Amino acid sequence: MKISLIDIGSNLTHESFASDRDTVMARAIEAGVRYQVVTGADLASSSQAAALAAAHPALLSSTAGVHPHHARSFDASGREQLSELLRRPQVVAVGECGLDYYRNFSPPDAQRAAFLAQLELAAAARKPVFLHQRDAHGDFTAILRDFRGSLTGGVAHCFTEGRTELEDYLALDLHIGVTGWINDERRGQLLRESVPHIPADRLMLETDAPYLLPRDLVPLPKSRRNEPCFLPHIARTVAHLRGESLDDVAISTTRNAIRFFGLSPAHD
Ligand SMILES: [Zn+2]
């Protein structure tokens, strides 16, 4: 049986894919990555992602949202544009949205306001949220706890943390997105310890391409660009750490992504 995976976080509209996006998509399918959810990080990339997904309905869906780095520029007209994007069928989640106090590219109060506004839009659109959090666990979980009842679902995208944070997220009934961060034996150590404790029906996989190239790829691409075709490599590491077979991980994570985002990928 050929492996069949879904990449729930690929930044296919990133400029590094501008000249060979079709080849990148073909390589992903060849590697067994049958479907991708293209990440929107601001209004421009969200609208590009929606257009790309509309052009490839059997292969791609997209998210639409404003990353906390861009929160300061998220105003009323941005909210209008976002809610228009959320009416499109190929847009399956709201995000990236959340809080990032690591660099505070936008002030924390602007981040919280943009996060709240997007949670409201998600609740109104009945679509799940694609969540980003860095160095803001306390505020992030407090806001989500208030909102959780009105949300259809949420995934902690690019989860990198340990058991405590994992338990907080599971208590909020969140799904967990695991990237190639897990392939970094040093920086990924907390994640490597917590991954065996993610319930099989909460786990999903993502590359976050072109970011987060798995560090243990052999050979390591010279460009250092990550691609969706490397998702099986991540899945293999996850399987190994969980003591499961690659097939088990593929089956459960694909089933979770289809259910969580309401996807209808083409049959192969
Ligand atoms: Zn992110």
Side-chain angles (χ1 to χ4, degrees):
M1 191 182 83
K2 194 174 180 248
I3 185 176
S4 170
L5 294 169
I6 295 180
D7 187 347
I8 67 149
S10 104
N11 300 273
L12 265 192
T13 65
H14 190 272
E15 59 190 7
S16 67
F17 295 124
S19 64
D20 65 346
R21 191 176 294 113
D22 289 341
T23 315
V24 168
M25 288 172 61
R27 232 183 337 252
I29 294 164
E30 187 55 35
V33 182
R34 70 195 285 204
Y35 203 89
Q36 302 174 41
V37 180
V38 183
T39 308
D42 56 18
L43 291 168
S45 67
S46 297
S47 124
Q48 287 162 17
L52 190 63
H56 302 277
L59 299 173
L60 306 175
S61 290
S62 71
T63 73
V66 175
H67 189 285
H69 287 342
H70 308 293
R72 65 159 86 231
S73 58
F74 187 53
D75 55 12
S77 108
R79 257 200 300 277
E80 233 359 271
Q81 289 176 59
L82 188 52
S83 79
E84 188 278 317
L85 282 169
L86 293 174
R87 284 195 283 275
R88 304 193 196 176
Q90 67 272 23
V91 178
V92 293
V94 181
E96 301 188 38
C97 62
L99 300 175
D100 191 324
Y101 295 170
Y102 177 61
R103 289 204 189 87
N104 279 329
F105 286 137
S106 283
D109 55 338
Q111 292 189 36
R112 288 188 290 270
F115 186 28
L116 282 168
Q118 292 180 84
L119 292 173
E120 281 166 9
L121 288 174
R126 310 293 303 153
K127 291 185 175 177
V129 283
F130 188 83
L131 297 161
H132 172 102
Q133 187 276 122
R134 191 162 182 198
D135 285 0
H137 186 76
D139 280 4
F140 179 79
T141 46
I143 289 173
L144 276 176
R145 215 167 277 132
D146 282 347
F147 250 93
R148 187 61 186 91
S150 49
L151 294 171
T152 61
V155 56
H157 129 83
C158 190
F159 180 75
T160 58
E161 296 171 295
R163 287 294 296 282
T164 315
E165 291 82 3
L166 176 64
E167 295 306 328
D168 287 347
Y169 287 174
L170 293 175
L172 285 162
D173 199 21
L174 297 184
H175 285 64
I176 309 292
V178 173
T179 62
W181 189 263
I182 200 161
N183 296 85
D184 188 323
E185 299 234 355
R186 191 176 52 83
R187 290 189 306 169
Q189 204 198 329
L190 274 180
L191 174 63
R192 294 169 69 93
E193 286 164 14
S194 51
V195 147
H197 302 281
I198 302 173
D201 64 352
R202 285 292 172 271
L203 175 65
M204 298 194 282
L205 301 174
E206 48 176 331
T207 57
D208 204 24
Y211 312 113
L212 297 181
L213 180 72
R215 286 172 59 108
D216 58 351
L217 272 179
V218 181
L220 210 55
K222 274 204 240 22
S223 66
R224 297 291 161 123
R225 182 182 73 173
N226 194 10
E227 282 190 32
C229 70
F230 300 136
L231 194 64
H233 180 76
I234 297 169
R236 222 168 277 123
T237 307
V238 167
H240 170 74
L241 291 168
R242 290 171 65 84
E244 293 175 8
S245 72
L246 179 59
D247 275 350
D248 285 343
V249 168
I251 289 167
S252 59
T253 57
T254 294
R255 187 194 294 134
N256 295 341
I258 289 173
R259 190 192 54 227
F260 179 85
F261 293 105
L263 308 177
S264 23
H267 294 285
D268 37 23

